[in-house]
Amino acid sequence: IKSKGSEFMAKKNARNTRSKIINAAWKLFYEQGYDDTTIEEIIDESGTSKGSFYHYFGGKDELLGTLSNIFDD
C-alpha cells in the first residue's frame, strides 16, 4: 500500500529527473550547439539513464521542442 507521501515523492522525483535532463540539454546545446550534442552526452551530463530520457522525450527534437515551450511561457 502506497502512502500519499510516497506518491508525492514519486511525482517530485519524476519532475526532478525531467528537469535534470532539460537543464543538461540546455547547457550542452549552449556550449556545443544542438547538432554537436548527442543524447548520450545529455544523459551523462544529467546523471540520469537512457530509459529515463526516452520515458520523457522521444528524441532530441522533442526535447528541443520542450525547451522552446518553456521559453514561450
Side-chain angles (χ1 to χ4, degrees), residues 8 10 15 20 22 25 30-31 34 46 54-55 64 68:
F8 171 76
R15 258 198 317 272
K20 284 179 186 177
I22 290 170
Y30 177 78
E31 291 174 355
Y34 176 80
S46 66
Y54 285 107
H55 174 75
L64 183 63
S68 65

Side-chain angles (χ1 to χ4, degrees), residues 15-16 18 32 38 42 47 49 54 56 63-65 67 71:
R15 258 198 317 272
N16 287 345
R18 189 171 183 274
Q32 303 176 175
T38 66
I42 295 168
S49 67
Y54 285 107
Y56 294 107
L63 175 56
L64 183 63
L67 291 172
F71 290 105

Side-chain angles (χ1 to χ4, degrees), residues 39-72:
I39 289 173
E40 198 62 46
E41 288 171 321
I42 295 168
I43 291 165
D44 289 345
E45 180 72 28
S46 66
T48 60
S49 67
K50 189 175 279 192
S52 291
F53 181 90
Y54 285 107
H55 174 75
Y56 294 107
F57 308 102
K60 206 167 68 163
D61 289 342
E62 189 177 318
L63 175 56
L64 183 63
T66 300
L67 291 172
S68 65
N69 288 341
I70 289 170
F71 290 105
D72 286 344

